Amino acid sequence: MTPFWPPEVTSAANSQKIVLGFESSCDETGVALCTTDGRILGQALYSQIAMHKDYGGVVPELASRDHIRRLIPLMNETFEQAGIALQDVDAIAVTTGPGLPGALMAGCAFAYSLAMGLNLPVIPVHHLEGHLLSPLLSSNPPAFPFTALLVSGGHTQLMGVEGLGRYTLLGETLDDAAGEAFDKTAKMIGLPYPGGPALSRLAESGNAERFKLPRPMLHSGDFMFSFSGLKTAVLTTAMKLAGVSQPNETMAISDTDKTDLAASFQAAIVETLVKKALAACLQQDHKRLVVAGGVGANKLLREQLVKAARKRGVEVYFPELSLCTDNGAMIAFAGAMQLAKNPALLDARDYGMRTRPRCELATPMEI
Ligand code: KG4
Ligand code: ZN
């Protein structure tokens, strides 16, 4: 692998501007190069799943340290793939929030220092905007406007999207995010981290009708969600099956019970997401529904959404599976789209780094 400094001299790919993007908000380190006409020239990703597995979840300090280790090798790999060099880059995009404070600091400190050293502008990117725009990178991208269902480990939101940067929050979860509910439920029934994919794999062979689990707020008449009661219902069902009066780490329930519980849980969460997402889309008078975030990889959610949407004349758009979970491409792309919309960003030189571990993307809907 060639060192990233000093940069090799090559010619720029074309007249389009090139954005180098970094993602490090949680447990994936992602780097990518994207042009202002939306082409990904190269990308590299490292997932820390194996490192966090033994702890049953993300250990923030380990995550931060690992991002520092991975950023330069991943960046070198990205440039090698793209066949260009650092001095071909016109701007640097980086996730500034929301996310784990230390993890964000690792990526931002690197991106801002690099930008300063190269005298390049920094484009701060909201992590959720990266997810939200990721379906635009697919072979069949949606046109604006659309309703977006953002379902990740930290967020569950419905958003009205009129155009780039024009986002209205229609509703969100009052407690756990959908991904969080998947992860916590998976842990409860003894599945390894990250629980979402493991639970959905198990659920495929289960009987989703066996346990009658609640669909909280399904008929609330708004676009809010709540998943903590559903999680508690799984816990009390598991305790009953194990014959224990207190939850414990080693609740002995049979494989069939686990499989049916996983399927029943998944059916409850998917039904709620599908109904509310469709209702929001119709209320907004949108013909397109976009799904983004890690839970967007869920097979049942994809199938049920497409089925329900077809009946209402709505088309559903998903990111490529590999772009559902965190990655650098969506951040480089969001930065490139901002730059394409506002070329004056090229002249900005604000190196006052501000990470925003908690921050909103959209303004709430007026009611
Ligand atoms: O968007 P993401 O990579 O990270 C955040 O920004 O949070 O989403 C990760 C979440 C995790 O909670 C993970 O369990 C969930 O997405 N997830 C899934 C599936 N694949 C990932 N949940 C359900 N079914 C899946 N197939
Ligand atoms: Zn994410």
Side-chain angles (χ1 to χ4, degrees):
M1 198 173 284
T2 45
F4 83 97
W5 193 268
E8 254 177 69
V9 179
T10 62
S11 61
N14 59 23
S15 61
Q16 293 293 326
K17 299 298 173 205
I18 297 176
V19 175
L20 171 63
F22 295 101
E23 157 62 31
S24 74
S25 65
C26 190
D27 57 347
E28 263 101 21
T29 323
V31 183
L33 283 158
C34 185
T35 58
T36 38
D37 62 354
R39 284 173 299 121
I40 298 293
L41 303 179
Q43 60 174 313
L45 183 67
Y46 182 82
S47 168
Q48 302 175 353
I49 285 177
M51 184 179 75
H52 296 297
K53 216 174 187 124
D54 291 346
Y55 305 93
V58 179
V59 183
E61 182 58 22
L62 293 182
S64 317
R65 288 168 190 235
D66 204 61
H67 286 309
I68 295 168
R69 266 195 294 274
R70 307 287 168 193
L71 280 160
I72 291 176
L74 288 172
M75 185 175 77
N76 287 338
E77 197 182 322
T78 304
F79 276 107
E80 231 167 74
Q81 245 182 53
I84 61 168
L86 259 181
Q87 81 276 13
D88 296 324
V89 171
D90 298 290
I92 293 185
V94 61
T95 306
T96 53
L100 299 171
L104 290 168
M105 293 272 278
C108 284
F110 181 71
Y112 273 80
S113 316
L114 187 64
M116 215 170 169
L118 296 167
N119 189 26
L120 290 177
V122 177
I123 305 175
V125 174
H126 194 289
H127 181 77
L128 291 185
E129 185 170 35
H131 277 304
L132 190 74
L133 299 178
S134 60
L136 298 176
L137 280 169
S138 65
S139 50
N140 173 30
F144 295 118
F146 54 75
T147 295
L149 171 66
L150 266 174
V151 269
S152 70
H155 292 82
T156 297
Q157 297 189 331
L158 277 163
M159 232 175 254
V161 179
E162 294 303 317
L164 189 73
R166 291 164 60 205
Y167 313 128
T168 306
L169 184 66
L170 309 174
E172 62 185 332
T173 181
L174 296 170
D175 40 56
D176 291 350
E180 192 180 356
F182 264 98
D183 293 341
K184 288 180 177 169
T185 305
K187 202 170 179 179
M188 248 184 266
I189 60 173
L191 297 176
Y193 160 86
L199 189 145
S200 66
R201 266 194 308 276
L202 188 67
E204 274 179 33
S205 50
N207 173 6
E209 308 278 312
R210 177 158 163 221
F211 300 107
K212 301 281 167 262
L213 297 173
R215 271 82 171 140
M217 300 190 71
L218 190 59
H219 304 293
S220 61
D222 56 20
F223 306 124
M224 304 304 277
F225 301 90
S226 166
F227 295 119
S228 72
L230 173 59
K231 184 188 66 192
T232 309
V234 174
L235 180 66
T236 49
T237 309
M239 280 162 55
K240 240 183 255 164
L241 290 167
V244 294
S245 56
Q246 293 289 327
N248 62 55
E249 294 266 308
T250 51
M251 278 190 295
I253 57 174
S254 72
D255 285 350
T256 311
D257 288 346
K258 268 188 202 176
T259 310
D260 291 347
L261 204 44
S264 303
F265 165 82
Q266 181 175 252
I269 206 159
V270 164
E271 183 181 337
T272 315
L273 291 172
V274 169
K275 290 234 163 97
K276 295 240 169 176
L278 252 285
C281 196
L282 296 174
Q283 190 247 23
Q284 292 290 296
D285 219 5
H286 287 161
K287 289 273 166 256
R288 289 169 288 269
L289 175 64
V290 163
V291 184
V295 184
N298 185 274
K299 206 168 143 205
L300 185 71
L301 177 65
R302 287 179 169 237
E303 286 167 6
Q304 298 288 320
L305 267 177
V306 169
K307 209 162 120 191
R310 196 173 292 138
K311 283 190 201 146
R312 314 302 294 262
V314 169
E315 194 164 350
V316 193
Y317 296 80
F318 302 95
E320 305 293 340
L321 267 181
S322 62
L323 296 183
C324 277
T325 44
D326 294 348
N327 61 84
M330 68 183 192
I331 303 304
F333 180 70
M337 291 303 97
Q338 283 188 41
L339 183 56
K341 188 180 169 196
N342 180 13
L345 287 176
L346 278 180
D347 303 321
R349 293 293 181 274
D350 178 1
Y351 299 125
M353 182 184 116
R354 280 171 299 274
T355 53
R356 300 168 297 163
R358 295 173 75 89
C359 56
E360 299 300 332
L361 175 61
T363 43
M365 175 172 58
E366 280 176 31
I367 34 175

